Structures are given as C-alpha cells and as structure tokens.
Amino acid sequence: MDRNVLIETLQNEGNLKHSFSAEDIELIAQHMSIETFDKDSILMHKGEPADCMAFLVNGRVQILEDERQIALLTTGDFLGESLFSDEATRVADVQAMEQTTVGLFTIHNFQNFLKTNQRLALQFRELFKAVERARAQQNAAETYINKRKYLALIAHNNMKESLMEFCSIHTEKLDKFSLIATGTTGSMLYKKTGMCLSRKVASGPLGGDQAVGTLISTQNISGVIFFRDPLSSHPHHADIEALGRLCDVYQIPFATNPQSGEAILDYLLSAKENRELLPNRILEAYLKGQKKVIDAG
C-alpha cells in the first residue's frame, strides 16, 4: 500500500485529526510500518508484550476476551494504546474479520521518533496515555459488580395506597433494607413515611418490572413485594408473569399481598435467607444443558 493512503486515512479518519495538524500527522505516519493481515489472522495475541499500536487503514478487526467480542474496530480506529501504559502484556486477542491493513507503531518507532522530533513524540505519547487511562476507567465501570441487595416494592396503581399503608405500618423493618421501586412509588413513599429509595426504576409498563428482573438475575434482589390488583386486567401482564417466573428460578421470596409481604420481611430480617437453600434441580439441569450446547458448538 502507498504510504500516502496511510497518511490520508490518519488525517481524515479517527481521532488523530482532533489533536494534531495535518503536517504533524504526516510526520507521525513516517514512523509507522504498513502491514496487511488476511481474514481470521490474529494481529495481536493475549499475553504477548504490549510493544506496538495499530491504526486501521482499511478492513475490520474484533477484540476478543475469552471468546467474547468486546469491541469491533474499523477504518480510522486504533488499538494497542497500552504501549504507553504500565501494562506489560496484552489482555485480549485482536482478530481480522476481513483483509485488513494497518499502520504499526512500535516501541522502537517511538524511540526513533524521540530522536527526530521530541516535542511531537511526547505529545503523541501523552495523548494515548490519556486514552488508555480513560478506557481503563470505562472497563472498570463496565466490569464493576454491584453486590448490594435490594428489596423491591411494586404495586399496581389501584394498590399503591395499600402499599403505602403497609410501608407506614412496617417503617421500622423497611428502614433496614435498601429499597428499589419506581420513581412514582418512591415519591409517594417519601411523602407518606419519610423513607427514601436506594434505587429507582421506570414504571412497570415502561420496563420497570423487567429492570427488577435483571437485578434478580444478577443476584441483587433479596425479595419482591408486589401488591397486584387481582380484579383488573393489565397491558403488561407478560412482564408481571416474567417477574414471578424469575423469582421462582432464583428462589427469591415473592409476596403479592400485605400478609405475605409481612412474612417476607420477617423472613429476611431473621437472616434465614443466608442459610443454604434447597438445591434448584431444574436450574442445575438447564445450566448443564446449556453447557452441552456450547461444548457441541
């Protein structure tokens, strides 16, 4: 490939154009080598030294971590900014999804760059050190595991007053929990009892039930108190049914009226939830079946 194509790509695509002039980018490109990789080739291997960066001139690559695609990059994108970090080895594989051409910038290129234009070389390094820090913070946020447990308070519109009465009676017990509910329920709860939510979700028909269901699947729900209106039809009945099903799957206490709600509070406060649960044979069988599907694939 003609080096002019590399220079034009760096000048017109990606982020370099936001930090360097066209003239500076041309100088930077002079310190890169050009390489082409066939489809399915591995550009960078997990565990190898983090000693180079790559700027995509054409084609597409995917970044793989334990067979999971964590990023998809195309023309103008770059990878390998850990060249300028304290990270000694690569933490993921980079695979070409089609024939791909890149501009490679190695640690040796950087050392030569320092000799010829120290100002520009240091500016280049500082940019990608900042990028690496930002991506590390983003990855930390994405992989953060919230271990907090919430007690979900949900009620159909015709049952919200009943829920408020229930909460007023059991304020002392509820104060011991991190509570999650819709914003509307949270506002009513504060006005009636002075209690505040630890987390809020959307209204049930707008996805709130599904949001609580997600937290059940990530083991962030200790119990669900859902005062359901048994005498009215509901447009999001499927969501309500799915929420109850997930409680069954993960063995989460699920109350649908004041009496069962009180029983759940007493159960959770007795610390019995921490005892060893009866084995969930159906879930175990399902997970084994999924593993067989993956292994067969």
Side-chain angles (χ1 to χ4, degrees), residues 48-53 80 82-83 87-88 90 105-108:
E48 71 179 8
D51 58 0
C52 72
M53 293 183 65
S82 54
L83 168 67
E87 192 71 49
R90 304 201 186 283
F105 185 86
T106 69
I107 188 65
H108 302 294

Side-chain angles (χ1 to χ4, degrees), residues 67-104:
E67 300 181 356
R68 178 174 66 94
Q69 185 189 83
I70 59 175
L72 177 64
L73 306 179
T74 187
T75 301
D77 291 330
F78 63 87
L79 56 145
E81 65 275 8
S82 54
L83 168 67
F84 296 118
S85 75
D86 295 330
E87 192 71 49
T89 59
R90 304 201 186 283
V91 296
D93 292 323
V94 180
Q95 182 183 44
M97 300 182 69
E98 59 192 44
Q99 189 177 74
T100 300
T101 301
V102 302
L104 285 180

Side-chain angles (χ1 to χ4, degrees), residues 260-275:
S260 57
E262 184 174 351
I264 279 185
L265 292 181
D266 291 339
Y267 165 75
L268 294 176
L269 291 172
S270 70
K272 289 182 179 178
E273 66 162 331
N274 296 321
R275 78 184 193 282

Side-chain angles (χ1 to χ4, degrees), residues 133-201:
R133 287 195 298 270
R135 287 189 174 176
Q137 291 174 353
Q138 179 181 357
N139 290 338
E142 291 175 350
T143 56
Y144 168 72
I145 298 176
N146 178 14
K147 295 184 179 180
R148 192 173 190 178
K149 294 274 192 175
Y150 301 92
L151 174 64
L153 300 177
I154 309 172
H156 287 140
N157 286 340
N158 290 342
M159 300 297 294
K160 288 192 185 300
E161 283 299 328
S162 295
L163 180 62
M164 293 305 108
E165 291 176 10
F166 175 84
C167 292
S168 296
I169 294 171
H170 298 289
T171 300
E172 187 175 339
K173 293 179 180 179
L174 289 168
D175 273 338
K176 295 178 171 34
F177 296 94
S178 295
L179 303 176
I180 182 171
T182 66
T184 303
T185 299
S187 297
M188 294 178 66
L189 186 65
Y190 181 75
K191 290 178 182 178
K192 296 285 186 179
T193 69
M195 288 189 296
C196 294
L197 298 180
S198 298
R199 186 166 179 171
K200 65 180 180 180
V201 295

